Amino acid sequence: MEKQWDNDCITSGSLVKALSGLAWPMFVGALLQNLQSLIDLFWVGKLGSDAVAALAMSGTVLMMVFPVVMGISTGTIAFVSRAVGGRRHQEASDVAVQSIILSVFLGLIAGIIGWVSARYLCVWLGASDEVTRLGMSYLRISCAGCFTVFVLFVGNSVLQGAGNAVIPMAVMILSNILNMILDPIFIFGLLGVPRMEVKGAALATVLSQTIAAAVVLTALWIGVSGIRVRVWRFETTLVWKILKLGILGAGQMFSRSLMALVLMRIVAMYGMVAVAAYGIGMRFHMIILMPAFALGNAAATIVGQNLGASKPDRAQSAAWLASGVDAVIMIGSAAIACWLAPVLVGFFDPNPEVIKVGAAYLRTVSPFYVFVAFAIVLGRALQGAGDAMSPMVLTVICLWGLQIPLAIFFSRHFASPTQGIWWAVAIAITVHGISVAGWFLRGKWKSMTL
């Protein structure tokens, strides 16, 4: 009955019910995923601004790794949702197996590269000697556990593509509970554990995510939502199909992550206070964007399953509904961020200069978040339809062709260099949202085949 209910709810009946049934567990799961970084930031913040700056730089570097797993996830959701929409559950199971194999292999490679380059990246970003030492220790532990994070992300994507968002949410709840318990123990050396400071935060996160990944694999082994991963064999043809779509999705995320790295380098030119402020602002930025990612992932699943069921008009209606709901959420979130900006930043770092610069970031960028609703939600809907090329191209144009040049130019011509950078971010996300919405309206994605 579970397989039939999942498919019927998404491909027929109330779109509001289908969207909410997928989006709210995805939102909770995504919120908890980002809450892990805030938990680390809260405890590490008690070690001083150098530690906060180290965590901010490390987070920016780790964003370079996520495009790989997000690329696999993009291909996985597109293929699994199409297969489930067409009631081809064995095909969906085959995709799941190949995606998980890919996640382990690419996760190991990414981890090795990250471990070796950790110090050089921190230095390139302009970190002081102390921030480099702290950042390198955090990065190397995070990279060592990189493949388990990949498995967790891809396993969750398999379940989401099949229409099951509850289990991914449950494992993220588990991961966060473990992280909250382990963080103070490893950072400050409690219960007989040696004091590890910044390294302890990384170790706590890796261990909690490893356990969560094991739970997801167990669910897929059992056969939840009709997806059963038991025959572990490598299928070259299927892997290549997933990779072709995934590479484009990864390209979009990689360009975004690389841009964040370059932007961090520009911010670092104006001191570690600016880096700490930007790091805190970015974490709130990601939390505010969580509904967009949740609604976008839900839209991708609904679009994919309805295209698989030959219902393109229903797919289109779902994407616009999701983006409209998120636009309303973004307006409310922006108002709160602008109102409470100093309090939010000061919660993580009491340094008055960090509060001033970080609050300016939130108050400048937040009002433009409404455009992010269309960029992210409709972009994910396009990926769910199998069109990963268009979102990638638009992302590259808006971030590299607009945001970075504007950040360099404005930082040199504004009275406050950081304020110039914040305005560059605001302008770029506005243009990006309008561009993605315009492309989605053309409707070419409706006729795409996988």
Side-chain angles (χ1 to χ4, degrees):
M1 290 295 292
E2 181 183 18
K3 290 186 288 186
Q4 182 73 23
W5 182 88
D6 284 343
N7 196 62
D8 287 349
C9 280
I10 293 174
T11 58
S12 63
S14 170
L15 272 178
V16 173
K17 182 179 178 181
L19 183 65
S20 61
L22 284 171
W24 80 261
M26 288 181 180
F27 169 72
V28 173
L31 182 64
L32 291 173
Q33 175 192 327
N34 279 271
L35 182 60
Q36 286 193 329
S37 66
L38 285 178
I39 293 170
D40 287 351
L41 185 62
F42 174 77
W43 291 112
V44 168
K46 300 182 183 301
L47 301 175
S49 292
D50 277 347
V52 172
L55 209 62
M57 285 194 165
S58 298
T60 303
V61 171
L62 289 172
M63 284 175 65
M64 298 292 294
V65 175
F66 287 129
V68 181
V69 68
M70 291 305 294
I72 304 172
S73 297
T74 296
T76 299
I77 290 176
F79 279 97
V80 169
S81 62
R82 280 284 186 105
V84 172
R87 303 185 184 278
R88 303 185 302 276
H89 286 83
Q90 182 56 53
E91 180 182 324
S93 298
D94 292 341
V95 171
V97 170
Q98 302 311 307
S99 295
I100 292 171
I101 292 173
L102 270 175
S103 69
V104 174
F105 178 69
L106 295 178
L108 288 171
I109 293 176
I112 292 170
I113 293 173
W115 177 284
V116 172
S117 61
R119 178 178 180 81
Y120 304 105
L121 288 171
C122 288
V123 171
W124 181 80
L125 285 170
S128 64
D129 290 343
E130 179 61 13
V131 171
T132 296
R133 182 185 69 81
L134 294 172
M136 184 175 67
S137 65
Y138 185 92
L139 277 171
R140 284 189 165 171
I141 292 176
S142 298
C143 289
C146 199
F147 74 97
T148 61
V149 179
F150 275 43
V151 171
L152 175 60
F153 267 78
V154 172
N156 282 343
S157 296
V158 170
L159 291 169
Q160 290 168 356
N164 187 328
V166 174
I167 289 179
M169 176 187 70
V171 298
M172 291 311 301
I173 291 174
L174 171 64
S175 181
N176 273 265
I177 291 174
L178 291 172
N179 198 34
M180 285 189 287
I181 295 171
L182 295 177
D183 250 348
I185 293 174
F186 290 166
I187 292 171
F188 302 109
L190 306 176
L191 303 178
V193 175
R195 181 183 176 94
M196 289 181 276
E197 299 190 344
V198 173
K199 290 190 295 186
L203 183 59
T205 299
V206 168
L207 286 177
S208 62
Q209 289 177 333
T210 299
I211 293 172
V215 173
V216 171
L217 286 179
T218 300
L220 292 173
W221 176 268
I222 292 172
V224 171
S225 296
I227 308 296
R228 188 180 299 273
V229 292
R230 290 193 176 181
V231 182
W232 295 94
R233 62 174 182 270
F234 188 80
E235 298 181 18
T236 307
T237 302
L238 184 52
V239 167
W240 177 238
K241 287 182 179 180
I242 297 170
L243 274 177
K244 281 197 296 185
L245 190 56
I247 287 171
L248 295 174
Q252 179 188 358
M253 291 299 299
F254 181 76
S255 67
R256 186 181 293 275
S257 297
L258 185 58
M259 180 280 305
L261 199 65
V262 173
L263 196 63
M264 177 65 81
R265 180 68 182 88
I266 296 171
V267 172
M269 293 170 60
Y270 303 100
M272 290 301 103
V273 166
V275 170
Y278 178 58
I280 293 172
M282 280 298 294
R283 276 167 171 74
F284 281 112
H285 177 88
M286 293 308 299
I287 287 180
I288 292 173
L289 296 186
M290 281 306 99
F293 288 112
L295 287 161
N297 287 337
T301 296
I302 297 174
V303 166
Q305 289 205 20
N306 278 281
L307 289 180
S310 300
K311 298 181 178 180
D313 290 339
R314 180 178 172 84
Q316 177 175 271
S317 297
W320 282 116
L321 174 64
S323 57
V325 169
D326 190 58
V328 174
I329 295 173
M330 290 298 99
I331 292 171
S333 300
I336 294 172
C338 290
W339 179 37
L340 297 177
V343 176
L344 295 174
V345 177
F347 182 75
F348 293 101
D349 194 326
N351 185 327
E353 287 299 312
V354 173
I355 292 174
K356 179 181 177 181
V357 178
Y361 172 86
L362 289 177
R363 285 174 169 166
T364 301
V365 178
S366 297
F368 297 90
Y369 284 160
V370 64
F371 294 100
V372 179
F374 298 100
I376 293 178
V377 176
L378 295 181
R380 291 297 174 91
L382 287 168
Q383 291 175 340
D387 181 9
M389 174 66 79
S390 303
M392 182 192 72
V393 172
L394 292 173
T395 298
V396 171
I397 291 173
C398 293
L399 297 185
W400 287 97
L402 190 62
Q403 183 165 296
I404 293 300
L406 285 180
I408 295 171
F409 180 79
F410 285 173
S411 66
R412 294 174 180 173
H413 292 83
F414 271 60
S416 168
T418 53
Q419 190 62 31
I421 297 171
W422 308 159
W423 273 111
V425 173
I427 292 171
I429 63 177
T430 300
V431 174
H432 190 205
I434 294 172
S435 300
V436 174
W439 183 262
F440 187 84
L441 277 169
R442 298 188 66 183
K444 290 187 175 181
W445 55 271
K446 293 181 182 180
S447 58
M448 294 198 69
T449 56
L450 296 180

